[in-house]
Amino acid sequence: MIFETHAHYDDESFDEDRRELLLSLPDNGIGYVINVGADLAGCRETLRLTEEYPFVYGAVGVHPSETAELDDAGLAWLREQCARDKIVAVGEIGLDYHQAEPERAVQKRWFERQMETARETGLPVIIHSRDAARDTLDILHALRAEEIGGVIHCFSYTKEIAREYLDMDFYFGIGGVVTFGNAKKLREAVQYIPMDRILLETDSPYLSPEPYRGRRNSSLHLPYVAEAIAALKNIPREEVEAATAQNALRLFRKIPARG
Ligand code: NI
């Protein structure tokens, strides 16, 4: 059974076939999906998806690139949603210095405040960090993130940075990038990260694995990611799928395990 820990099925690229695609997932071995909000509208759609599909859970949060839309009322609304049974994490939140906007001070402020929301509501966090390795870790250390717990999604840094996340007992979201020809650094990190810290994710509709690179991604492509990790770890693919699903149920502790 595969646990998909990071998808954006609220994205408009699924407008044509969302229902058909989502309903096909359990028959294809995808037992759980976490739909991750990236802005307030996406969080509202995430709530709707969790109500419609029994196997879909949600994370609510505002992505660093979208934080200009946040204010105290928006944050209060996010906090309220965290009390819902099927909202299991705060995310995706973090820092993205690849984009110039919003300015770094704004991104940091809302990253910190959403981290506090996670602490107050007892939920783990889903972290987005791009071209911002040092500042992300500085904030996580300052806010004692090891007490909150979480996953660094689409991990794209080095083995040395991975060490620091391991010291905080964080998990690592590994997706399609691990199959790319130019991902040598990431493959080294995956070899280094213990199997009990890895989660499977797609970031659908983005980051399709080989042989679908460049096309719309979906959770149906996760076996290619599991296969790539299995090759790096020298274990069967089924073992990767089982271990990562167990890891996800440990981190997203609000989700009841099924027999
Ligand atoms: Ni994402």
Side-chain angles (χ1 to χ4, degrees), residues 6 63-65 92-99 107 111 126-140 151-158 161 165 170 201 203:
H6 195 119
H63 183 288
S65 302
E92 57 189 290
I93 62 174
L95 300 174
D96 193 326
Y97 294 167
H98 189 72
Q99 316 286 348
Q107 294 191 32
F111 179 25
I126 297 173
I127 303 291
H128 171 105
S129 176
R130 189 168 183 203
D131 297 344
R134 197 63 256 161
D135 281 6
T136 306
L137 278 166
D138 286 349
I139 287 176
L140 291 173
V151 52
I152 168 95
H153 134 74
C154 195
F155 184 74
S156 58
Y157 298 131
T158 58
I161 299 286
Y165 281 99
F170 261 56
E201 65 168 37
D203 208 20

Side-chain angles (χ1 to χ4, degrees), residues 26-72:
D27 291 339
N28 285 282
I30 315 295
Y32 299 86
V33 172
I34 296 183
N35 200 78
V36 179
D39 58 15
L40 292 172
C43 291
R44 280 191 290 274
E45 281 305 301
T46 295
L47 299 179
R48 208 181 53 71
L49 292 171
T50 65
E51 282 160 16
E52 198 169 339
Y53 303 95
F55 55 92
V56 175
Y57 291 82
V60 292
V62 172
H63 183 288
S65 302
E66 306 294 333
T67 43
E69 73 165 344
L70 266 177
D71 56 17
D72 288 343

Side-chain angles (χ1 to χ4, degrees), residues 156-173:
S156 58
Y157 298 131
T158 58
K159 223 166 93 168
E160 290 68 33
I161 299 286
R163 177 74 258 163
E164 292 201 48
Y165 281 99
L166 283 172
D167 287 343
M168 289 190 298
D169 276 340
F170 261 56
Y171 291 81
F172 298 78

